[in-house]
Amino acid sequence: MNRGKLMEIGLNKVNRNLHPINSTINIGENSIGSNNITIIAGPCSVESEEQIVNIAERVKASGATFLRGGVFKPRTSPYSFQGLGENGLELLKIAKEKTGLPIVTELMSLEYLDMFLEDVDVIQIGARNMQNYPLLKEVGKIKKPVLLKRGMSATIEEFLMAAEYIMLEGNENVILCERGIRTFERYTRNTLDLSAVPILKKLSHLPVIVDPSHGTGLWWLVEPLSKAAIAVGADGLIIEVHNDPLNARCDGEQSITTGRFQKLMESLKLIAKVENKIL
Amino acid sequence: MNRGKLMEIGLNKVNRNLHPINSTINIGENSIGSNNITIIAGPCSVESEEQIVNIAERVKASGATFLRGGVFKPRTSPYSFQGLGENGLELLKIAKEKTGLPIVTELMSLEYLDMFLEDVDVIQIGARNMQNYPLLKEVGKIKKPVLLKRGMSATIEEFLMAAEYIMLEGNENVILCERGIRTFERYTRNTLDLSAVPILKKLSHLPVIVDPSHGTGLWWLVEPLSKAAIAVGADGLIIEVHNDPLNARCDGEQSITTGRFQKLMESLKLIAKVENKIL
Amino acid sequence: MNRGKLMEIGLNKVNRNLHPINSTINIGENSIGSNNITIIAGPCSVESEEQIVNIAERVKASGATFLRGGVFKPRTSPYSFQGLGENGLELLKIAKEKTGLPIVTELMSLEYLDMFLEDVDVIQIGARNMQNYPLLKEVGKIKKPVLLKRGMSATIEEFLMAAEYIMLEGNENVILCERGIRTFERYTRNTLDLSAVPILKKLSHLPVIVDPSHGTGLWWLVEPLSKAAIAVGADGLIIEVHNDPLNARCDGEQSITTGRFQKLMESLKLIAKVENKIL
Amino acid sequence: MNRGKLMEIGLNKVNRNLHPINSTINIGENSIGSNNITIIAGPCSVESEEQIVNIAERVKASGATFLRGGVFKPRTSPYSFQGLGENGLELLKIAKEKTGLPIVTELMSLEYLDMFLEDVDVIQIGARNMQNYPLLKEVGKIKKPVLLKRGMSATIEEFLMAAEYIMLEGNENVILCERGIRTFERYTRNTLDLSAVPILKKLSHLPVIVDPSHGTGLWWLVEPLSKAAIAVGADGLIIEVHNDPLNARCDGEQSITTGRFQKLMESLKLIAKVENKIL
């Protein structure tokens, strides 16, 4: 049995044994991995200036510390909305200007790396690209923080190895994100693996956040799973929030409204306090 | 897509739509499914009088409200320890006499049903028997509470259908237990599916508890996952506690010590309070 | 890595290392596990005398050597057709009388063991009961051949351990049946794991058959997967055949017609010949 | 239930309903998807000129029609051998010159696309990149045949959607490759899903080949699963063959020797003949 053991050798840069102290990643006034809970909120896709600015203002008012919003979207079907691309990035910048919220968005192609270096605060590597090694190596050569999502069927070990790819090139600013794994269960989009949080924190020194939106695929599960994520020891959350989920261009069924987000933040504060964390 | 929908018709007795109010199950002074968090604790297997009485006294002192302990053990290998059988049941009764803790233990065969009716307070149906329909039907014909564990690869829908089998025969005292599902991940014994808790509570009116010991297979994950389970809305926990895990006859690697159990209870009280639950 | 290795000790009775020669199981003129390919065919459920006799005659004419037909049905929902029970067994006996085909049917409860001992030629233990140890032990105490189906999420190792439970009690007439495992794929009912066939034959000396009907859940996949099963080394097949699949009381979508069964047998003969097997 | 149905709309270019006739892809004298079985053989990694030329000559002598060999290797760990890169491509060209076998090798990064356009006959997109959409789109803009491997946990639908991404850009020369999916089973590296072959051939008009080496991870399973793949209707196979598997720099445990490959080809010829295919 390999339970409780990693099977391959080779964890070095991510290994807590070699770096016993928690790593923290500082972005503006925010410190990810510290006693402050990081809340990244925003829509699945940037759709218009009005939409992204409105959502950014609302989530900031409720206490979010980062703005998320997809502009290059990896979609299963080529006929689905692929995101606004560079124009979307411009809209994210407007929202950042108006609210001060740093930007988290996904990079799919090295073609846009320079643009992301300039405009984006945290570069997200999505689940589908967790083992896109050329991409990992390139974001490893910069200093910009990288939010690395666990692959849909990646083991804990493979996930840590992907982070090792980035860090081995020199970038130590890696944030791990559990976002649900693929199982036989069909009621939810994925099965959120909250046990991954304390495991990742034991094996590595990196900050670990949780995505309850993709992790469940159902908006009404976001609140209970967010609370559970904080209770299990996560350093933060990335949550899909939309001003009009029923008409969202993607992932509406897993997005919560700005009003519900505000209530969620209130209940998260209580859990955070029990965990001696600040929210 | 069927996300968020059940695929087959036929939920009736378990269906919250037809029974909007939470069911509670009263055993002695305990009310499972109420505002009181139910804590079932004890060893994987009953091994000796000294062992079970010692553990029962210790977990009671820390606030456990039920005693668990296997006497008929479903083991993957026929060469593994199969439990003490009827003698084990006698030892559980001694521990109950000394502590007042009601007994939860697993029934594998109808042969022992009468004995369980007399001596056991909650009859556990294990994961391997979740679709043992003759067994479900027979425990449906009695009034004794049944703790039904989710099968290793049972969908939410199949799990509820198994409860429906019991209730359709007349026994409405069913407690659902999420205990981890089988996935590709090898680091843990199972992947604990905490999203199942709010889903089961939305779809059914039955109490839902969580087994973080089998759900993870690793003792050091029991505390964070127990906290997460309460935060996600579970009505209780079933936890493997042993006075000497290193020498336990089964599941030692997932059992916590009585000392650690006491500390766990302290931290669970804080989470319970936030959830307006009593522990 | 444990690839290619079993993790637990304890394989003894099933172990090929200790019994290098293939076991064969003789029933009437049939020898399962020999150079003769065993073909078990018939409906999911026995529905009426006319139905079962008609199907039995047709599959016999096409070369089937055993008749299958469920009379006690393990159904996910208690509201689904549960089988004709004892009456169904009587109908199977009539079909056997008229065709000479030995009967294979599933035993779910020890209550009916004596009846099965008298009337049934091969006792099937279904996937849901693969780890129902009291049932395994009891069918281990008789000499009647047992067809043991792999559990929905049973590993190869667990499957062999279940066979070990039976054999350890004294019954050496065990036939293993690969019937598909539960995966994330939703297009098929299960994922038929044909690699299990050569693995089971390498690790054990028992006959191994394949169920392409449950293994795929779609009638049009039965022919190609049956051919593949013979090519991969299976000793036989168990196939759902119905005279009127569109109106079958269960599993119609995975049942082939008697006409198609006849054609399937023709193409299987060609593959069997290449494998130096007789069909 | 969605069994037997695709869940999302949008299959167009790959859709057999709109293109009823089998597509064939012609490379030199070879026609993939025709009555000729395509056999792609060679080592996991190109290691030296001697190694690759020796293997190429041997597999050609046994009847292989394409040479495979990794030069850019996607490895889980950054500390594992990453392939010889451009130098490896030069060695493949030498082996092609000496044997005439066209080259199949994996492209991981667009950086090398021009080089592959010139030197490679079939561009392989590996399982880890099945949803690397920028890469799919770029290989869609060329005419060079693309061998697209199914992702580790990709559904049939997602696999076909990935092919749609390529074809929508204009490249109709897509070959689908089933290479095993990730399941709970630990004895094998993956679970080879042979049901995918007839499903892919029913839903699409594209050639479908099978990789029994990655599909099982164990060299002694390659022969039975190769035979099963031909029997189930595959248009070809891609097989790892090494002159010295024990000392291979990667995947030695799943590579067969050149001698065993020769015997495999003999037995495959018999199955191919039954299927009215030429080998």
Side-chain angles (χ1 to χ4, degrees):
Chain A
M1 279 193 311
N2 287 309
R3 198 182 304 159
K5 296 197 185 70
L6 295 188
M7 278 165 277
E8 291 186 36
I9 52 168
L11 289 183
N12 178 12
K13 296 291 185 185
V14 307
N15 196 332
R16 184 177 282 277
N17 290 336
L18 307 180
H19 312 72
I21 296 169
N22 281 345
S23 288
T24 56
I25 295 169
N26 299 310
I27 297 158
E29 301 168 357
N30 303 286
S31 180
I32 304 176
S34 69
N35 270 352
N36 290 276
I37 299 284
T38 299
I39 304 289
I40 305 166
C44 171
S45 288
V46 176
E47 298 173 16
S48 69
E49 180 177 333
E50 190 190 350
Q51 176 238 25
I52 191 66
V53 170
N54 178 292
I55 295 173
E57 288 173 343
R58 297 289 297 273
V59 298
K60 174 163 188 182
S62 301
T65 44
F66 287 84
L67 177 65
R68 64 150 288 155
V71 295
F72 298 100
K73 300 294 303 172
R75 303 302 299 275
T76 300
S77 165
Y79 304 108
S80 298
F81 175 52
Q82 307 274 314
L84 294 182
E86 299 180 39
N87 294 335
L89 205 48
E90 290 306 312
L91 302 182
L92 279 175
K93 284 163 68 181
I94 294 172
K96 178 181 176 181
E97 260 175 43
K98 297 212 176 175
T99 60
L101 290 178
I103 296 170
V104 181
T105 195
E106 179 170 354
L107 177 69
M108 286 167 63
S109 169
L110 290 172
E111 184 186 348
Y112 298 103
L113 183 55
D114 288 343
M115 196 184 297
F116 272 58
L117 272 175
E118 188 143 337
D119 295 337
V120 167
D121 298 284
V122 178
I123 297 177
Q124 179 178 320
I125 301 295
R128 289 170 176 83
N129 282 313
M130 193 204 81
Q131 293 189 315
N132 182 339
Y133 300 122
L135 186 60
L136 298 183
K137 286 179 178 173
E138 289 305 315
V139 298
K141 291 173 185 155
I142 57 176
K143 295 294 170 205
K144 184 76 75 181
V146 174
L147 172 55
L148 178 66
K149 290 194 142 193
R150 182 180 183 181
M152 290 182 201
S153 62
T155 62
I156 299 278
E157 184 176 25
E158 291 166 341
F159 189 18
L160 289 171
M161 283 292 187
E164 186 83 13
Y165 261 98
I166 296 171
M167 295 181 78
L168 193 56
E169 299 293 328
N171 189 348
E172 305 210 326
N173 298 311
V174 177
I175 304 150
L176 302 172
C177 180
E178 159 62 29
R179 46 74 73 202
I181 56 174
R182 186 159 272 192
T183 71
F184 62 83
E185 178 59 59
R186 303 173 184 208
Y187 191 87
T188 46
R189 182 172 183 177
N190 293 289
T191 296
L192 190 66
D193 177 12
L194 287 182
S195 69
V197 176
I199 295 170
L200 291 168
K201 293 204 68 81
K202 181 189 176 83
L203 298 176
S204 87
H205 51 91
L206 300 172
V208 179
I209 69 168
V210 169
D211 178 346
S213 307
H214 287 86
T216 64
L218 295 167
W219 67 265
W220 53 273
L221 288 172
V222 171
E223 178 169 336
L225 274 304
S226 292
K227 288 161 66 181
I230 301 302
V232 93
D235 295 303
L237 296 163
I238 178 165
I239 298 176
E240 288 192 352
V241 180
H242 201 281
N243 53 339
D244 183 10
L246 290 176
N247 294 303
R249 292 191 74 175
C250 77
D251 286 353
E253 74 272 26
Q254 73 191 33
S255 298
I256 58 174
T257 60
T258 49
R260 192 166 283 273
F261 178 71
Q262 187 178 13
K263 285 179 197 145
L264 168 62
M265 289 295 283
E266 293 311 313
S267 67
L268 290 181
K269 276 174 193 161
L270 300 174
I271 303 274
K273 204 175 165 189
V274 170
E275 296 296 306
N276 295 314
K277 301 271 183 69
I278 299 157
L279 184 71
Chain B
M1 280 192 313
N2 287 309
R3 200 182 302 161
K5 296 198 185 70
L6 295 188
M7 277 165 279
E8 291 185 36
I9 52 167
L11 290 183
N12 177 12
K13 295 292 184 184
V14 307
N15 196 332
R16 184 177 283 278
N17 289 337
L18 307 180
H19 312 72
I21 297 169
N22 281 345
S23 287
T24 55
I25 294 168
N26 299 310
I27 297 158
E29 300 167 357
N30 303 287
S31 180
I32 305 176
S34 68
N35 270 351
N36 291 276
I37 298 284
T38 299
I39 304 289
I40 305 166
C44 171
S45 288
V46 176
E47 298 173 16
S48 69
E49 181 178 332
E50 191 190 350
Q51 175 237 24
I52 191 67
V53 170
N54 179 291
I55 295 173
E57 287 173 343
R58 299 288 298 274
V59 298
K60 175 164 188 180
S62 301
T65 44
F66 287 84
L67 177 65
R68 63 150 290 155
V71 295
F72 297 101
K73 299 295 303 173
R75 303 303 299 275
T76 300
S77 164
Y79 304 108
S80 298
F81 175 52
Q82 306 275 313
L84 295 181
E86 299 180 41
N87 293 336
L89 204 48
E90 289 307 310
L91 302 182
L92 279 175
K93 283 163 68 179
I94 294 171
K96 178 183 175 180
E97 259 174 44
K98 297 211 177 177
T99 60
L101 290 177
I103 297 169
V104 181
T105 195
E106 179 170 354
L107 178 69
M108 286 168 64
S109 169
L110 290 172
E111 183 186 347
Y112 298 103
L113 182 54
D114 287 343
M115 196 184 296
F116 272 59
L117 271 174
E118 191 144 333
D119 295 337
V120 167
D121 298 283
V122 177
I123 297 176
Q124 179 178 320
I125 301 295
R128 289 171 176 83
N129 282 312
M130 194 204 81
Q131 293 188 316
N132 181 340
Y133 300 122
L135 186 60
L136 298 183
K137 285 180 180 173
E138 290 304 315
V139 298
K141 289 173 186 157
I142 58 176
K143 295 294 170 202
K144 185 76 76 181
V146 174
L147 173 55
L148 178 67
K149 290 194 142 192
R150 184 180 182 181
M152 291 181 200
S153 62
T155 62
I156 299 279
E157 184 177 25
E158 290 165 342
F159 188 18
L160 289 171
M161 283 293 186
E164 187 83 12
Y165 261 97
I166 297 170
M167 295 182 78
L168 193 56
E169 299 292 328
N171 189 349
E172 306 210 325
N173 298 310
V174 177
I175 304 149
L176 302 173
C177 180
E178 160 62 30
R179 46 75 73 204
I181 57 173
R182 186 159 273 191
T183 72
F184 61 84
E185 178 58 60
R186 303 172 185 209
Y187 191 86
T188 46
R189 181 173 183 176
N190 293 289
T191 297
L192 190 66
D193 177 12
L194 287 181
S195 68
V197 176
I199 295 170
L200 291 169
K201 292 204 69 81
K202 181 189 176 83
L203 297 175
S204 87
H205 51 92
L206 299 173
V208 179
I209 70 167
V210 169
D211 179 346
S213 307
H214 287 86
T216 64
L218 294 167
W219 67 265
W220 52 274
L221 288 171
V222 171
E223 179 168 336
L225 274 304
S226 292
K227 288 160 66 180
I230 301 303
V232 92
D235 295 303
L237 296 163
I238 179 166
I239 297 177
E240 289 192 353
V241 179
H242 201 281
N243 52 339
D244 183 10
L246 289 178
N247 294 304
R249 293 192 71 175
C250 75
D251 285 353
E253 73 272 27
Q254 72 192 33
S255 298
I256 58 174
T257 60
T258 48
R260 191 167 284 273
F261 178 71
Q262 188 177 13
K263 284 180 198 145
L264 168 62
M265 289 296 283
E266 293 311 313
S267 67
L268 290 181
K269 276 175 193 161
L270 301 174
I271 303 273
K273 203 173 165 190
V274 169
E275 294 296 306
N276 295 314
K277 300 273 182 68
I278 300 157
L279 184 70
Chain C
M1 279 192 313
N2 287 308
R3 202 182 301 161
K5 296 197 184 71
L6 294 188
M7 278 164 279
E8 292 186 33
I9 53 169
L11 290 182
N12 176 13
K13 296 291 184 184
V14 307
N15 196 333
R16 185 177 281 278
N17 289 338
L18 307 180
H19 312 72
I21 297 168
N22 280 345
S23 288
T24 57
I25 294 168
N26 299 310
I27 297 159
E29 300 169 358
N30 303 288
S31 181
I32 305 176
S34 69
N35 271 351
N36 291 275
I37 298 284
T38 298
I39 304 289
I40 305 166
C44 171
S45 288
V46 176
E47 297 173 16
S48 69
E49 180 177 332
E50 192 190 349
Q51 176 239 24
I52 191 66
V53 170
N54 178 292
I55 294 173
E57 288 173 342
R58 299 288 298 275
V59 299
K60 175 163 188 179
S62 301
T65 44
F66 287 84
L67 177 64
R68 63 149 290 156
V71 294
F72 298 100
K73 300 294 303 172
R75 303 302 300 275
T76 300
S77 165
Y79 304 107
S80 298
F81 175 52
Q82 307 275 313
L84 294 181
E86 299 180 40
N87 293 335
L89 204 48
E90 289 307 311
L91 303 182
L92 279 176
K93 284 163 69 179
I94 294 171
K96 178 182 176 180
E97 259 175 44
K98 298 211 176 177
T99 60
L101 290 178
I103 296 169
V104 181
T105 194
E106 179 170 354
L107 178 70
M108 286 167 63
S109 168
L110 290 172
E111 184 186 349
Y112 297 103
L113 182 56
D114 287 343
M115 197 184 295
F116 272 59
L117 272 174
E118 190 143 335
D119 295 337
V120 167
D121 298 284
V122 178
I123 296 177
Q124 178 179 319
I125 301 295
R128 288 171 178 83
N129 283 312
M130 193 204 82
Q131 293 189 316
N132 181 340
Y133 301 121
L135 186 61
L136 298 183
K137 286 180 179 174
E138 289 304 316
V139 299
K141 291 174 184 156
I142 58 176
K143 294 294 170 204
K144 186 75 77 181
V146 174
L147 172 54
L148 179 67
K149 291 194 141 193
R150 182 180 184 182
M152 291 182 200
S153 61
T155 62
I156 299 277
E157 183 177 27
E158 290 166 340
F159 189 18
L160 289 171
M161 283 291 186
E164 186 84 12
Y165 261 97
I166 297 170
M167 295 182 78
L168 193 57
E169 299 292 329
N171 190 348
E172 305 210 326
N173 299 310
V174 177
I175 304 149
L176 303 173
C177 179
E178 161 62 29
R179 44 76 73 201
I181 56 172
R182 186 159 273 191
T183 71
F184 62 83
E185 179 59 59
R186 303 173 184 209
Y187 191 87
T188 46
R189 182 173 182 176
N190 293 288
T191 296
L192 190 65
D193 177 12
L194 287 181
S195 68
V197 176
I199 295 170
L200 292 168
K201 293 204 70 81
K202 180 189 177 83
L203 298 176
S204 88
H205 51 92
L206 299 172
V208 179
I209 69 168
V210 169
D211 178 346
S213 307
H214 287 87
T216 64
L218 294 167
W219 68 265
W220 53 273
L221 288 172
V222 171
E223 180 169 335
L225 275 303
S226 292
K227 289 161 66 181
I230 302 303
V232 92
D235 296 302
L237 296 164
I238 179 164
I239 297 177
E240 289 192 352
V241 181
H242 201 281
N243 53 340
D244 184 10
L246 289 177
N247 294 303
R249 293 193 71 178
C250 75
D251 285 353
E253 74 273 26
Q254 73 192 33
S255 299
I256 58 174
T257 61
T258 49
R260 190 166 285 272
F261 178 71
Q262 189 178 10
K263 285 180 197 145
L264 168 62
M265 289 297 282
E266 293 312 312
S267 67
L268 290 182
K269 276 173 193 162
L270 301 174
I271 303 272
K273 205 176 164 188
V274 170
E275 295 295 306
N276 296 314
K277 300 273 181 69
I278 300 157
L279 184 71
Chain D
M1 280 193 311
N2 287 309
R3 201 182 301 160
K5 296 197 184 69
L6 295 188
M7 277 164 280
E8 290 186 36
I9 52 167
L11 291 182
N12 177 13
K13 296 291 183 185
V14 307
N15 196 333
R16 183 176 283 277
N17 289 338
L18 307 180
H19 311 72
I21 297 168
N22 281 345
S23 287
T24 56
I25 295 168
N26 299 311
I27 297 159
E29 300 169 357
N30 303 287
S31 180
I32 304 175
S34 70
N35 271 351
N36 291 276
I37 298 284
T38 299
I39 304 289
I40 305 165
C44 172
S45 288
V46 176
E47 298 172 17
S48 69
E49 180 177 332
E50 191 190 351
Q51 175 238 27
I52 191 66
V53 170
N54 178 292
I55 294 173
E57 288 172 342
R58 299 287 299 273
V59 299
K60 176 165 187 178
S62 301
T65 43
F66 287 84
L67 177 64
R68 61 150 290 155
V71 295
F72 297 100
K73 300 294 304 172
R75 304 302 301 275
T76 300
S77 165
Y79 304 108
S80 298
F81 176 52
Q82 307 275 315
L84 295 182
E86 299 180 40
N87 293 335
L89 204 48
E90 289 307 311
L91 302 182
L92 278 175
K93 284 163 68 179
I94 294 170
K96 178 181 177 180
E97 259 175 45
K98 298 213 176 174
T99 60
L101 290 177
I103 296 169
V104 181
T105 195
E106 179 170 353
L107 178 69
M108 286 167 63
S109 169
L110 289 173
E111 184 187 348
Y112 298 103
L113 183 55
D114 287 343
M115 197 184 296
F116 271 59
L117 272 176
E118 189 143 336
D119 296 337
V120 167
D121 298 283
V122 177
I123 297 177
Q124 179 179 317
I125 302 294
R128 290 172 176 82
N129 283 312
M130 194 204 82
Q131 293 189 316
N132 182 340
Y133 300 122
L135 185 61
L136 298 183
K137 285 180 179 173
E138 289 305 315
V139 297
K141 290 175 185 155
I142 59 177
K143 294 296 170 204
K144 185 76 76 180
V146 174
L147 173 55
L148 178 66
K149 290 195 142 193
R150 183 180 183 182
M152 292 183 199
S153 62
T155 62
I156 299 278
E157 184 177 26
E158 290 166 341
F159 188 18
L160 289 171
M161 283 293 186
E164 186 84 12
Y165 261 97
I166 297 170
M167 296 182 78
L168 192 57
E169 299 292 328
N171 189 348
E172 305 210 326
N173 299 311
V174 177
I175 304 149
L176 302 173
C177 179
E178 160 61 30
R179 44 76 73 202
I181 56 174
R182 186 158 272 192
T183 72
F184 62 83
E185 179 59 60
R186 303 172 183 207
Y187 192 86
T188 46
R189 182 172 182 176
N190 293 289
T191 297
L192 190 66
D193 178 12
L194 287 181
S195 69
V197 175
I199 295 169
L200 291 168
K201 292 205 67 83
K202 180 189 176 83
L203 298 176
S204 89
H205 51 92
L206 299 173
V208 179
I209 70 168
V210 169
D211 177 346
S213 307
H214 287 86
T216 64
L218 294 166
W219 67 265
W220 54 273
L221 289 172
V222 170
E223 179 169 335
L225 274 304
S226 292
K227 289 160 66 180
I230 302 303
V232 92
D235 295 302
L237 295 164
I238 178 165
I239 297 177
E240 289 193 351
V241 180
H242 200 280
N243 52 341
D244 184 10
L246 289 177
N247 294 304
R249 292 193 70 177
C250 76
D251 285 353
E253 74 272 27
Q254 73 191 33
S255 298
I256 58 174
T257 61
T258 49
R260 190 166 286 272
F261 178 71
Q262 187 177 14
K263 286 181 197 143
L264 169 62
M265 290 295 283
E266 293 311 312
S267 67
L268 289 181
K269 276 174 192 161
L270 301 174
I271 303 272
K273 204 174 165 192
V274 170
E275 295 296 307
N276 296 314
K277 301 274 181 67
I278 300 157
L279 184 69

